[in-house]
């Protein structure tokens, strides 16, 4: 969770001005704010996030305690594969997150038959990952989505146009669900070598092997 520190600063002679910091992790912002408060010259300390929600120091500390009990620091890997002979698609996703002071890994795959192309399977795999995030009740935070599909990553980043109606429908569905959950997505293109976990899950789904697991890592 990143926030900006906003405060009114008063000089010994009474001159006042308002300072806004750059965005920084909330824990760092609290440390700086506490140090500034000790000077006795920093007044009306507030913390504001990218959604324009704001807190006092006491409220932010309480919010940080709540965050620790919820999934946070979330990173998602996704991959989809389409078998032209059987017309079936294997979807795989891996979700890493922190909760209650521990690190967790969730793995999920699925076999679907209603898709028509590999690009659609890639979108469906990302959508599967988002469904798992919603089940985890991930909300109002930044999430990194990593995949080896240049089409999906670059279309969702707005860097490539999307001319296929079916892919546009997938993109709209994904963006709507992320917006509703208050998830701020960061899309990262990675090589297949660095996406082996999700790729393996997609391949296992095509072979009829179901995987659903969550474990501490």
């Amino acid at each position: 969770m990143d926030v900006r520190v906003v405060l009114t600063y008063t000089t010994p002679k009474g001159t006042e001005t308002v300072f806004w910091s750059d965005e920084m992790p909330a824990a760092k912002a609290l440390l700086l704010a506490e140090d500034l408060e000790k000077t006795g010259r920093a007044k009306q300390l507030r913390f504001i996030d990218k959604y324009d929600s704001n807190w006092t120091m006491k409220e932010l500390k309480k919010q940080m305690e709540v965050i620790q009990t919820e999934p946070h620091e979330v990173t998602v890997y996704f991959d989809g594969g389409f078998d032209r002979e059987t017309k079936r698609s294997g979807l795989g996703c891996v979700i890493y997150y922190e909760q209650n002071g521990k690190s967790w890994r969730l793995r999920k795959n699925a076999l679907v038959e209603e898709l028509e192309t590999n690009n659609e399977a890639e979108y469906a795999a990302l959508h599967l990952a988002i469904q798992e995030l919603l089940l985890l009740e991930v909300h109002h935070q930044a999430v990194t989505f990593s995949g080896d599909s240049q089409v999906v990553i670059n279309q969702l980043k707005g860097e490539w146009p999307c001319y296929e109606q079916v892919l546009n429908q997938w993109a709209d569905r994904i963006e709507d669900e992320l917006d509703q959950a208050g998830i701020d997505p960061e899309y990262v293109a990675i090589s297949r070598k660095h996406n082996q976990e999700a790729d393996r899950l997609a391949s296992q789904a095509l072979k009829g092997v179901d995987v659903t697991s969550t474990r501490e890592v």
Side-chain angles (χ1 to χ4, degrees):
M1 177 182 181
D2 291 342
V3 297
R4 290 173 292 167
V5 182
V6 183
L7 59 91
T8 299
Y9 186 84
T10 306
T11 69
K13 293 185 177 181
T15 302
E16 287 189 349
T17 191
V18 177
F19 286 104
W20 291 65
S21 75
D22 293 331
E23 281 193 352
M24 65 184 76
K28 179 180 178 180
L30 282 168
L31 285 174
L32 290 173
E34 288 173 344
D35 192 62
L36 285 166
E37 198 172 46
K38 291 175 183 177
T39 67
R41 299 174 187 171
K43 308 294 183 182
Q44 300 177 18
L45 272 163
R46 306 290 295 182
F47 304 88
I48 301 177
D49 68 10
K50 63 180 63 181
Y51 305 106
D52 288 330
S53 299
N54 68 86
W55 298 271
T56 62
M57 189 178 298
K58 182 179 179 180
E59 290 169 341
L60 184 58
K61 286 180 178 179
K62 185 175 181 179
Q63 176 69 8
M64 292 296 291
E65 291 176 1
V66 171
I67 286 175
Q68 292 303 311
T69 67
E70 299 177 346
H72 57 281
E73 301 297 327
V74 183
T75 300
V76 174
Y77 295 86
F78 68 93
D79 194 42
F82 178 71
D83 188 323
R84 289 185 177 86
E85 293 183 4
T86 63
K87 303 299 182 182
R88 299 191 303 175
S89 299
L91 317 179
C93 67
V94 185
I95 301 173
Y96 288 92
Y97 61 95
E98 304 288 324
Q99 187 174 17
N100 293 320
K102 298 180 179 180
S103 299
W104 301 90
R105 181 188 68 183
L106 181 154
R107 298 190 303 153
K108 176 72 175 178
N109 71 358
L111 177 66
V112 295
E113 299 184 357
E114 64 269 19
L115 308 181
E116 298 181 354
T117 66
N118 193 74
N119 285 335
E120 192 177 1
E122 294 279 8
Y123 267 106
L126 174 55
H127 186 259
L128 174 68
I130 292 170
Q131 300 313 297
E132 293 302 312
L133 292 180
L134 297 180
L135 289 173
L136 285 171
E137 299 186 354
V138 174
H139 61 91
H140 295 93
Q141 60 179 287
V143 174
T144 300
F145 295 93
S146 300
D148 56 46
S149 170
Q150 293 286 338
V151 170
V152 172
I153 296 296
N154 287 313
Q155 285 180 349
L156 289 174
K157 289 171 70 174
E159 295 179 358
W160 286 9
C162 184
Y163 300 113
E164 299 176 53
Q165 182 178 358
V166 67
L167 298 188
N168 265 319
Q169 291 173 341
W170 277 108
D172 289 344
R173 184 185 310 174
I174 286 166
E175 289 173 349
D176 286 346
E177 291 182 359
L178 293 176
D179 284 344
Q180 289 175 19
I183 294 174
D184 182 15
E186 178 186 2
Y187 298 107
V188 179
I190 58 177
S191 66
R192 291 194 66 182
K193 177 181 178 182
H194 292 98
N195 202 31
Q196 290 182 358
E197 281 190 296
D199 177 71
R200 187 180 304 113
L201 288 167
S203 298
Q204 288 175 317
L206 284 170
K207 296 175 182 177
V209 179
D210 294 329
V211 178
T212 301
S213 69
T214 301
R215 58 169 291 184
E216 187 179 350
V217 294

Tab-separated table of all heavy atoms in Angstrom, residues 120-175:
chain	number	residue	atom	x	y	z
A	120	GLU	N	-7.450	-16.537	-26.979
A	120	GLU	CA	-8.624	-16.547	-26.109
A	120	GLU	C	-8.344	-17.364	-24.848
A	120	GLU	O	-8.778	-17.005	-23.751
A	120	GLU	CB	-9.832	-17.109	-26.858
A	120	GLU	CG	-11.133	-16.875	-26.128
A	120	GLU	CD	-12.346	-17.368	-26.893
A	120	GLU	OE1	-12.191	-17.914	-27.999
A	120	GLU	OE2	-13.456	-17.215	-26.352
A	121	ALA	N	-7.587	-18.449	-25.010
A	121	ALA	CA	-7.216	-19.263	-23.850
A	121	ALA	C	-6.353	-18.464	-22.882
A	121	ALA	O	-6.482	-18.608	-21.654
A	121	ALA	CB	-6.482	-20.520	-24.310
A	122	GLU	N	-5.471	-17.622	-23.420
A	122	GLU	CA	-4.633	-16.788	-22.556
A	122	GLU	C	-5.492	-15.808	-21.759
A	122	GLU	O	-5.288	-15.613	-20.549
A	122	GLU	CB	-3.598	-16.038	-23.390
A	122	GLU	CG	-2.547	-16.912	-24.064
A	122	GLU	CD	-1.419	-17.295	-23.112
A	122	GLU	OE1	-1.521	-17.020	-21.906
A	122	GLU	OE2	-0.426	-17.863	-23.602
A	123	TYR	N	-6.454	-15.179	-22.418
A	123	TYR	CA	-7.358	-14.270	-21.711
A	123	TYR	C	-8.160	-15.021	-20.647
A	123	TYR	O	-8.361	-14.533	-19.524
A	123	TYR	CB	-8.323	-13.598	-22.698
A	123	TYR	CG	-7.855	-12.259	-23.209
A	123	TYR	CD1	-7.372	-12.115	-24.504
A	123	TYR	CD2	-7.911	-11.122	-22.398
A	123	TYR	CE1	-6.951	-10.889	-24.989
A	123	TYR	CE2	-7.501	-9.886	-22.866
A	123	TYR	CZ	-7.023	-9.766	-24.165
A	123	TYR	OH	-6.598	-8.539	-24.638
A	124	ALA	N	-8.615	-16.220	-21.007
A	124	ALA	CA	-9.401	-17.018	-20.063
A	124	ALA	C	-8.571	-17.408	-18.841
A	124	ALA	O	-9.083	-17.468	-17.721
A	124	ALA	CB	-9.946	-18.261	-20.760
A	125	ALA	N	-7.284	-17.675	-19.053
A	125	ALA	CA	-6.403	-18.011	-17.927
A	125	ALA	C	-6.252	-16.828	-16.983
A	125	ALA	O	-6.264	-16.983	-15.751
A	125	ALA	CB	-5.036	-18.452	-18.456
A	126	LEU	N	-6.121	-15.630	-17.536
A	126	LEU	CA	-6.054	-14.428	-16.704
A	126	LEU	C	-7.360	-14.238	-15.954
A	126	LEU	O	-7.373	-13.895	-14.763
A	126	LEU	CB	-5.744	-13.206	-17.568
A	126	LEU	CG	-5.772	-11.852	-16.865
A	126	LEU	CD1	-4.839	-11.829	-15.665
A	126	LEU	CD2	-5.401	-10.738	-17.845
A	127	HIS	N	-8.471	-14.491	-16.630
A	127	HIS	CA	-9.776	-14.352	-15.984
A	127	HIS	C	-9.932	-15.365	-14.848
A	127	HIS	O	-10.492	-15.047	-13.790
A	127	HIS	CB	-10.893	-14.535	-17.014
A	127	HIS	CG	-12.253	-14.261	-16.469
A	127	HIS	ND1	-13.124	-15.263	-16.100
A	127	HIS	CD2	-12.896	-13.087	-16.186
A	127	HIS	CE1	-14.237	-14.719	-15.644
A	127	HIS	NE2	-14.126	-13.412	-15.683
A	128	LEU	N	-9.417	-16.577	-15.047
A	128	LEU	CA	-9.432	-17.583	-13.981
A	128	LEU	C	-8.674	-17.073	-12.760
A	128	LEU	O	-9.131	-17.228	-11.618
A	128	LEU	CB	-8.796	-18.878	-14.489
A	128	LEU	CG	-8.595	-19.994	-13.447
A	128	LEU	CD1	-9.949	-20.546	-12.995
A	128	LEU	CD2	-7.724	-21.112	-14.028
A	129	ALA	N	-7.526	-16.447	-12.995
A	129	ALA	CA	-6.730	-15.908	-11.893
A	129	ALA	C	-7.510	-14.817	-11.144
A	129	ALA	O	-7.474	-14.755	-9.903
A	129	ALA	CB	-5.416	-15.341	-12.420
A	130	ILE	N	-8.212	-13.983	-11.880
A	130	ILE	CA	-8.975	-12.908	-11.242
A	130	ILE	C	-10.099	-13.482	-10.384
A	130	ILE	O	-10.397	-12.962	-9.295
A	130	ILE	CB	-9.514	-11.940	-12.305
A	130	ILE	CG1	-8.342	-11.179	-12.949
A	130	ILE	CG2	-10.522	-10.956	-11.703
A	130	ILE	CD1	-8.719	-10.376	-14.164
A	131	GLN	N	-10.724	-14.579	-10.843
A	131	GLN	CA	-11.763	-15.222	-10.031
A	131	GLN	C	-11.183	-15.714	-8.714
A	131	GLN	O	-11.822	-15.619	-7.652
A	131	GLN	CB	-12.396	-16.385	-10.800
A	131	GLN	CG	-13.054	-16.001	-12.116
A	131	GLN	CD	-13.955	-14.786	-11.985
A	131	GLN	OE1	-14.953	-14.811	-11.262
A	131	GLN	NE2	-13.606	-13.711	-12.659
A	132	GLU	N	-9.957	-16.226	-8.762
A	132	GLU	CA	-9.305	-16.683	-7.530
A	132	GLU	C	-8.977	-15.504	-6.617
A	132	GLU	O	-9.082	-15.607	-5.389
A	132	GLU	CB	-8.031	-17.474	-7.865
A	132	GLU	CG	-8.295	-18.793	-8.570
A	132	GLU	CD	-9.180	-19.720	-7.764
A	132	GLU	OE1	-8.902	-19.913	-6.554
A	132	GLU	OE2	-10.154	-20.259	-8.324
A	133	LEU	N	-8.575	-14.376	-7.193
A	133	LEU	CA	-8.321	-13.180	-6.388
A	133	LEU	C	-9.596	-12.727	-5.677
A	133	LEU	O	-9.560	-12.340	-4.497
A	133	LEU	CB	-7.802	-12.044	-7.272
A	133	LEU	CG	-6.417	-12.200	-7.886
A	133	LEU	CD1	-6.078	-10.970	-8.721
A	133	LEU	CD2	-5.353	-12.417	-6.820
A	134	LEU	N	-10.714	-12.790	-6.384
A	134	LEU	CA	-11.977	-12.374	-5.779
A	134	LEU	C	-12.374	-13.330	-4.652
A	134	LEU	O	-12.918	-12.894	-3.624
A	134	LEU	CB	-13.068	-12.315	-6.849
A	134	LEU	CG	-12.846	-11.295	-7.976
A	134	LEU	CD1	-13.994	-11.332	-8.972
A	134	LEU	CD2	-12.663	-9.886	-7.421
A	135	LEU	N	-12.094	-14.616	-4.835
A	135	LEU	CA	-12.384	-15.575	-3.759
A	135	LEU	C	-11.500	-15.316	-2.537
A	135	LEU	O	-11.923	-15.538	-1.397
A	135	LEU	CB	-12.172	-17.008	-4.269
A	135	LEU	CG	-13.203	-17.520	-5.283
A	135	LEU	CD1	-12.782	-18.871	-5.827
A	135	LEU	CD2	-14.594	-17.615	-4.643
A	136	LEU	N	-10.282	-14.839	-2.783
A	136	LEU	CA	-9.378	-14.483	-1.684
A	136	LEU	C	-9.752	-13.146	-1.050
A	136	LEU	O	-9.178	-12.757	-0.035
A	136	LEU	CB	-7.935	-14.395	-2.197
A	136	LEU	CG	-7.205	-15.705	-2.494
A	136	LEU	CD1	-5.874	-15.418	-3.187
A	136	LEU	CD2	-6.969	-16.497	-1.209
A	137	GLU	N	-10.693	-12.446	-1.685
A	137	GLU	CA	-11.130	-11.117	-1.249
A	137	GLU	C	-10.005	-10.096	-1.346
A	137	GLU	O	-9.846	-9.222	-0.479
A	137	GLU	CB	-11.719	-11.174	0.169
A	137	GLU	CG	-12.941	-12.075	0.267
A	137	GLU	CD	-13.610	-12.029	1.629
A	137	GLU	OE1	-13.065	-11.374	2.545
A	137	GLU	OE2	-14.669	-12.655	1.780
A	138	VAL	N	-9.227	-10.201	-2.408
A	138	VAL	CA	-8.222	-9.181	-2.713
A	138	VAL	C	-8.952	-7.957	-3.264
A	138	VAL	O	-9.766	-8.080	-4.185
A	138	VAL	CB	-7.204	-9.706	-3.746
A	138	VAL	CG1	-6.257	-8.598	-4.180
A	138	VAL	CG2	-6.441	-10.892	-3.171
A	139	HIS	N	-8.673	-6.792	-2.715
A	139	HIS	CA	-9.378	-5.588	-3.164
A	139	HIS	C	-8.570	-4.340	-2.805
A	139	HIS	O	-7.748	-4.345	-1.891
A	139	HIS	CB	-10.770	-5.514	-2.530
A	139	HIS	CG	-10.743	-5.445	-1.026
A	139	HIS	ND1	-10.712	-4.263	-0.326
A	139	HIS	CD2	-10.715	-6.432	-0.096
A	139	HIS	CE1	-10.684	-4.502	0.974
A	139	HIS	NE2	-10.677	-5.818	1.148
A	140	HIS	N	-8.803	-3.300	-3.569
A	140	HIS	CA	-8.241	-1.978	-3.323
A	140	HIS	C	-6.734	-2.008	-3.062
A	140	HIS	O	-6.245	-1.523	-2.031
A	140	HIS	CB	-8.973	-1.275	-2.176
A	140	HIS	CG	-10.405	-0.980	-2.506
A	140	HIS	ND1	-11.425	-1.844	-2.180
A	140	HIS	CD2	-10.967	0.059	-3.164
A	140	HIS	CE1	-12.563	-1.345	-2.608
A	140	HIS	NE2	-12.315	-0.185	-3.217
A	141	GLN	N	-6.027	-2.592	-4.014
A	141	GLN	CA	-4.571	-2.612	-3.951
A	141	GLN	C	-4.012	-2.883	-5.343
A	141	GLN	O	-4.737	-3.286	-6.249
A	141	GLN	CB	-4.094	-3.690	-2.990
A	141	GLN	CG	-4.508	-5.110	-3.349
A	141	GLN	CD	-3.975	-6.125	-2.352
A	141	GLN	OE1	-2.786	-6.422	-2.344
A	141	GLN	NE2	-4.860	-6.645	-1.506
A	142	ALA	N	-2.717	-2.652	-5.483
A	142	ALA	CA	-2.047	-2.932	-6.747
A	142	ALA	C	-1.710	-4.415	-6.824
A	142	ALA	O	-1.303	-5.019	-5.830
A	142	ALA	CB	-0.775	-2.095	-6.871
A	143	VAL	N	-1.903	-5.015	-7.991
A	143	VAL	CA	-1.584	-6.421	-8.229
A	143	VAL	C	-0.790	-6.521	-9.531
A	143	VAL	O	-1.159	-5.904	-10.539
A	143	VAL	CB	-2.852	-7.291	-8.329
A	143	VAL	CG1	-2.498	-8.724	-8.720
A	143	VAL	CG2	-3.623	-7.268	-7.015
A	144	THR	N	0.284	-7.295	-9.506
A	144	THR	CA	1.100	-7.510	-10.706
A	144	THR	C	0.640	-8.781	-11.399
A	144	THR	O	0.559	-9.848	-10.778
A	144	THR	CB	2.586	-7.638	-10.350
A	144	THR	OG1	3.011	-6.435	-9.703
A	144	THR	CG2	3.429	-7.864	-11.601
A	145	PHE	N	0.335	-8.666	-12.695
A	145	PHE	CA	-0.071	-9.807	-13.510
A	145	PHE	C	1.023	-10.082	-14.534
A	145	PHE	O	1.316	-9.225	-15.380
A	145	PHE	CB	-1.390	-9.515	-14.233
A	145	PHE	CG	-2.562	-9.342	-13.309
A	145	PHE	CD1	-2.924	-8.082	-12.856
A	145	PHE	CD2	-3.304	-10.432	-12.894
A	145	PHE	CE1	-4.008	-7.910	-12.005
A	145	PHE	CE2	-4.396	-10.276	-12.036
A	145	PHE	CZ	-4.741	-9.016	-11.592
A	146	SER	N	1.619	-11.263	-14.459
A	146	SER	CA	2.720	-11.623	-15.349
A	146	SER	C	2.313	-12.781	-16.248
A	146	SER	O	1.764	-13.783	-15.777
A	146	SER	CB	3.958	-12.021	-14.535
A	146	SER	OG	4.390	-10.954	-13.718
A	147	GLY	N	2.598	-12.635	-17.557
A	147	GLY	CA	2.274	-13.697	-18.505
A	147	GLY	C	3.179	-13.625	-19.709
A	147	GLY	O	3.830	-12.606	-19.959
A	148	ASP	N	3.231	-14.724	-20.471
A	148	ASP	CA	4.097	-14.753	-21.647
A	148	ASP	C	3.349	-14.464	-22.947
A	148	ASP	O	3.898	-14.604	-24.033
A	148	ASP	CB	4.840	-16.096	-21.753
A	148	ASP	CG	3.909	-17.289	-21.780
A	148	ASP	OD1	2.910	-17.251	-22.520
A	148	ASP	OD2	4.186	-18.263	-21.058
A	149	SER	N	2.077	-14.065	-22.833
A	149	SER	CA	1.298	-13.694	-24.021
A	149	SER	C	1.469	-12.204	-24.309
A	149	SER	O	0.926	-11.353	-23.610
A	149	SER	CB	-0.187	-14.007	-23.803
A	149	SER	OG	-0.966	-13.440	-24.850
A	150	GLN	N	2.232	-11.905	-25.351
A	150	GLN	CA	2.419	-10.505	-25.743
A	150	GLN	C	1.085	-9.870	-26.130
A	150	GLN	O	0.847	-8.682	-25.872
A	150	GLN	CB	3.397	-10.430	-26.926
A	150	GLN	CG	4.817	-10.849	-26.603
A	150	GLN	CD	5.557	-9.801	-25.790
A	150	GLN	OE1	5.197	-8.629	-25.797
A	150	GLN	NE2	6.597	-10.226	-25.092
A	151	VAL	N	0.201	-10.668	-26.734
A	151	VAL	CA	-1.092	-10.145	-27.158
A	151	VAL	C	-1.899	-9.660	-25.957
A	151	VAL	O	-2.352	-8.514	-25.912
A	151	VAL	CB	-1.887	-11.222	-27.932
A	151	VAL	CG1	-3.333	-10.752	-28.170
A	151	VAL	CG2	-1.215	-11.510	-29.265
A	152	VAL	N	-2.066	-10.517	-24.969
A	152	VAL	CA	-2.873	-10.153	-23.803
A	152	VAL	C	-2.242	-8.993	-23.028
A	152	VAL	O	-2.918	-8.010	-22.709
A	152	VAL	CB	-3.061	-11.371	-22.872
A	152	VAL	CG1	-3.731	-10.943	-21.565
A	152	VAL	CG2	-3.890	-12.438	-23.562
A	153	ILE	N	-0.961	-9.106	-22.748
A	153	ILE	CA	-0.289	-8.074	-21.950
A	153	ILE	C	-0.342	-6.718	-22.647
A	153	ILE	O	-0.734	-5.702	-22.042
A	153	ILE	CB	1.177	-8.463	-21.674
A	153	ILE	CG1	1.258	-9.726	-20.813
A	153	ILE	CG2	1.917	-7.306	-21.005
A	153	ILE	CD1	0.692	-9.589	-19.424
A	154	ASN	N	0.024	-6.679	-23.908
A	154	ASN	CA	0.095	-5.394	-24.607
A	154	ASN	C	-1.274	-4.816	-24.934
A	154	ASN	O	-1.440	-3.593	-24.961
A	154	ASN	CB	0.934	-5.533	-25.875
A	154	ASN	CG	2.412	-5.674	-25.577
A	154	ASN	OD1	2.973	-4.926	-24.792
A	154	ASN	ND2	3.066	-6.648	-26.187
A	155	GLN	N	-2.271	-5.687	-25.152
A	155	GLN	CA	-3.619	-5.160	-25.376
A	155	GLN	C	-4.186	-4.562	-24.092
A	155	GLN	O	-4.792	-3.488	-24.115
A	155	GLN	CB	-4.528	-6.260	-25.920
A	155	GLN	CG	-4.252	-6.583	-27.390
A	155	GLN	CD	-5.154	-7.666	-27.938
A	155	GLN	OE1	-5.862	-8.348	-27.203
A	155	GLN	NE2	-5.133	-7.838	-29.252
A	156	LEU	N	-3.979	-5.235	-22.971
A	156	LEU	CA	-4.511	-4.706	-21.715
A	156	LEU	C	-3.755	-3.462	-21.248
A	156	LEU	O	-4.313	-2.621	-20.537
A	156	LEU	CB	-4.480	-5.790	-20.636
A	156	LEU	CG	-5.493	-6.919	-20.825
A	156	LEU	CD1	-5.288	-8.013	-19.797
A	156	LEU	CD2	-6.921	-6.385	-20.740
A	157	LYS	N	-2.498	-3.344	-21.634
A	157	LYS	CA	-1.744	-2.128	-21.318
A	157	LYS	C	-2.112	-0.987	-22.248
A	157	LYS	O	-1.715	0.154	-22.023
A	157	LYS	CB	-0.231	-2.408	-21.426
A	157	LYS	CG	0.301	-3.293	-20.316
A	157	LYS	CD	1.740	-3.718	-20.566
A	157	LYS	CE	2.702	-2.565	-20.427
A	157	LYS	NZ	4.114	-3.021	-20.526
A	158	GLY	N	-2.874	-1.286	-23.301
A	158	GLY	CA	-3.279	-0.269	-24.258
A	158	GLY	C	-2.229	0.050	-25.293
A	158	GLY	O	-2.347	1.043	-26.022
A	159	GLU	N	-1.208	-0.795	-25.395
A	159	GLU	CA	-0.119	-0.544	-26.340
A	159	GLU	C	-0.371	-1.185	-27.703
A	159	GLU	O	0.213	-0.778	-28.690
A	159	GLU	CB	1.200	-1.053	-25.751
A	159	GLU	CG	1.617	-0.287	-24.496
A	159	GLU	CD	2.910	-0.796	-23.897
A	159	GLU	OE1	3.474	-1.778	-24.421
A	159	GLU	OE2	3.369	-0.200	-22.884
A	160	TRP	N	-1.212	-2.216	-27.744
A	160	TRP	CA	-1.586	-2.848	-29.000
A	160	TRP	C	-3.095	-2.722	-29.186
A	160	TRP	O	-3.856	-2.867	-28.226
A	160	TRP	CB	-1.220	-4.328	-29.001
A	160	TRP	CG	0.248	-4.623	-29.140
A	160	TRP	CD1	1.281	-3.727	-29.090
A	160	TRP	CD2	0.848	-5.906	-29.323
A	160	TRP	NE1	2.485	-4.370	-29.238
A	160	TRP	CE2	2.256	-5.708	-29.384
A	160	TRP	CE3	0.352	-7.201	-29.435
A	160	TRP	CZ2	3.150	-6.766	-29.558
A	160	TRP	CZ3	1.235	-8.255	-29.616
A	160	TRP	CH2	2.611	-8.042	-29.686
A	161	PRO	N	-3.554	-2.484	-30.426
A	161	PRO	CA	-5.001	-2.447	-30.665
A	161	PRO	C	-5.576	-3.856	-30.629
A	161	PRO	O	-4.869	-4.840	-30.829
A	161	PRO	CB	-5.097	-1.844	-32.069
A	161	PRO	CG	-3.812	-2.244	-32.740
A	161	PRO	CD	-2.771	-2.206	-31.647
A	162	CYS	N	-6.860	-3.957	-30.365
A	162	CYS	CA	-7.550	-5.250	-30.344
A	162	CYS	C	-8.691	-5.189	-31.357
A	162	CYS	O	-9.684	-4.497	-31.138
A	162	CYS	CB	-8.080	-5.550	-28.953
A	162	CYS	SG	-8.843	-7.173	-28.799
A	163	TYR	N	-8.548	-5.908	-32.464
A	163	TYR	CA	-9.542	-5.868	-33.535
A	163	TYR	C	-10.546	-7.022	-33.457
A	163	TYR	O	-11.575	-6.982	-34.117
A	163	TYR	CB	-8.846	-5.899	-34.896
A	163	TYR	CG	-7.899	-4.732	-35.124
A	163	TYR	CD1	-6.535	-4.934	-35.213
A	163	TYR	CD2	-8.386	-3.427	-35.240
A	163	TYR	CE1	-5.657	-3.873	-35.417
A	163	TYR	CE2	-7.524	-2.356	-35.444
A	163	TYR	CZ	-6.156	-2.585	-35.531
A	163	TYR	OH	-5.291	-1.532	-35.727
A	164	GLU	N	-10.241	-8.061	-32.671
A	164	GLU	CA	-11.128	-9.218	-32.601
A	164	GLU	C	-12.180	-9.005	-31.513
A	164	GLU	O	-11.849	-8.744	-30.356
A	164	GLU	CB	-10.320	-10.480	-32.303
A	164	GLU	CG	-9.282	-10.796	-33.372
A	164	GLU	CD	-8.442	-12.008	-32.992
A	164	GLU	OE1	-9.045	-13.049	-32.686
A	164	GLU	OE2	-7.206	-11.897	-32.991
A	165	GLN	N	-13.431	-9.133	-31.894
A	165	GLN	CA	-14.527	-8.860	-30.973
A	165	GLN	C	-14.476	-9.744	-29.729
A	165	GLN	O	-14.685	-9.278	-28.605
A	165	GLN	CB	-15.873	-9.037	-31.670
A	165	GLN	CG	-17.055	-8.712	-30.770
A	165	GLN	CD	-18.387	-8.849	-31.486
A	165	GLN	OE1	-18.422	-9.152	-32.676
A	165	GLN	NE2	-19.471	-8.618	-30.782
A	166	VAL	N	-14.167	-11.033	-29.932
A	166	VAL	CA	-14.171	-11.947	-28.791
A	166	VAL	C	-13.091	-11.581	-27.780
A	166	VAL	O	-13.303	-11.670	-26.564
A	166	VAL	CB	-14.018	-13.417	-29.259
A	166	VAL	CG1	-12.634	-13.656	-29.865
A	166	VAL	CG2	-14.261	-14.369	-28.095
A	167	LEU	N	-11.933	-11.120	-28.256
A	167	LEU	CA	-10.869	-10.705	-27.333
A	167	LEU	C	-11.238	-9.399	-26.645
A	167	LEU	O	-10.916	-9.197	-25.474
A	167	LEU	CB	-9.539	-10.576	-28.077
A	167	LEU	CG	-8.997	-11.857	-28.727
A	167	LEU	CD1	-7.583	-11.625	-29.255
A	167	LEU	CD2	-9.012	-13.028	-27.742
A	168	ASN	N	-11.900	-8.514	-27.381
A	168	ASN	CA	-12.381	-7.276	-26.763
A	168	ASN	C	-13.358	-7.568	-25.623
A	168	ASN	O	-13.344	-6.896	-24.582
A	168	ASN	CB	-13.079	-6.394	-27.807
A	168	ASN	CG	-12.143	-5.365	-28.405
A	168	ASN	OD1	-11.344	-4.768	-27.689
A	168	ASN	ND2	-12.230	-5.151	-29.708
A	169	GLN	N	-14.197	-8.580	-25.819
A	169	GLN	CA	-15.156	-8.934	-24.782
A	169	GLN	C	-14.454	-9.461	-23.535
A	169	GLN	O	-14.836	-9.127	-22.414
A	169	GLN	CB	-16.132	-9.984	-25.329
A	169	GLN	CG	-17.073	-9.428	-26.387
A	169	GLN	CD	-17.913	-10.509	-27.053
A	169	GLN	OE1	-17.586	-11.704	-26.998
A	169	GLN	NE2	-19.007	-10.109	-27.671
A	170	TRP	N	-13.404	-10.272	-23.749
A	170	TRP	CA	-12.625	-10.752	-22.615
A	170	TRP	C	-11.955	-9.590	-21.885
A	170	TRP	O	-11.963	-9.516	-20.652
A	170	TRP	CB	-11.551	-11.736	-23.078
A	170	TRP	CG	-12.043	-13.127	-23.253
A	170	TRP	CD1	-12.245	-13.802	-24.435
A	170	TRP	CD2	-12.395	-14.056	-22.219
A	170	TRP	NE1	-12.692	-15.074	-24.198
A	170	TRP	CE2	-12.800	-15.262	-22.846
A	170	TRP	CE3	-12.408	-13.991	-20.833
A	170	TRP	CZ2	-13.204	-16.387	-22.124
A	170	TRP	CZ3	-12.816	-15.101	-20.103
A	170	TRP	CH2	-13.209	-16.280	-20.748
A	171	ALA	N	-11.355	-8.676	-22.653
A	171	ALA	CA	-10.659	-7.530	-22.052
A	171	ALA	C	-11.620	-6.661	-21.249
A	171	ALA	O	-11.307	-6.229	-20.131
A	171	ALA	CB	-9.975	-6.706	-23.140
A	172	ASP	N	-12.813	-6.416	-21.809
A	172	ASP	CA	-13.809	-5.604	-21.104
A	172	ASP	C	-14.247	-6.281	-19.809
A	172	ASP	O	-14.397	-5.628	-18.766
A	172	ASP	CB	-15.031	-5.364	-21.998
A	172	ASP	CG	-14.744	-4.408	-23.146
A	172	ASP	OD1	-13.716	-3.702	-23.088
A	172	ASP	OD2	-15.548	-4.392	-24.104
A	173	ARG	N	-14.454	-7.593	-19.863
A	173	ARG	CA	-14.872	-8.336	-18.677
A	173	ARG	C	-13.811	-8.256	-17.586
A	173	ARG	O	-14.120	-8.033	-16.410
A	173	ARG	CB	-15.130	-9.795	-19.061
A	173	ARG	CG	-15.671	-10.649	-17.914
A	173	ARG	CD	-15.778	-12.103	-18.324
A	173	ARG	NE	-16.467	-12.273	-19.593
A	173	ARG	CZ	-16.575	-13.445	-20.220
A	173	ARG	NH1	-16.028	-14.533	-19.690
A	173	ARG	NH2	-17.219	-13.528	-21.354
A	174	ILE	N	-12.566	-8.425	-17.980
A	174	ILE	CA	-11.457	-8.387	-17.024
A	174	ILE	C	-11.327	-7.000	-16.394
A	174	ILE	O	-11.214	-6.859	-15.177
A	174	ILE	CB	-10.147	-8.799	-17.715
A	174	ILE	CG1	-10.156	-10.321	-17.950
A	174	ILE	CG2	-8.926	-8.369	-16.919
A	174	ILE	CD1	-9.086	-10.804	-18.901
A	175	GLU	N	-11.369	-5.973	-17.232
A	175	GLU	CA	-11.221	-4.613	-16.718
A	175	GLU	C	-12.381	-4.234	-15.804
A	175	GLU	O	-12.179	-3.559	-14.786
A	175	GLU	CB	-11.091	-3.637	-17.892
A	175	GLU	CG	-9.757	-3.775	-18.616
A	175	GLU	CD	-9.677	-2.939	-19.877
A	175	GLU	OE1	-10.735	-2.413	-20.317
A	175	GLU	OE2	-8.570	-2.820	-20.434
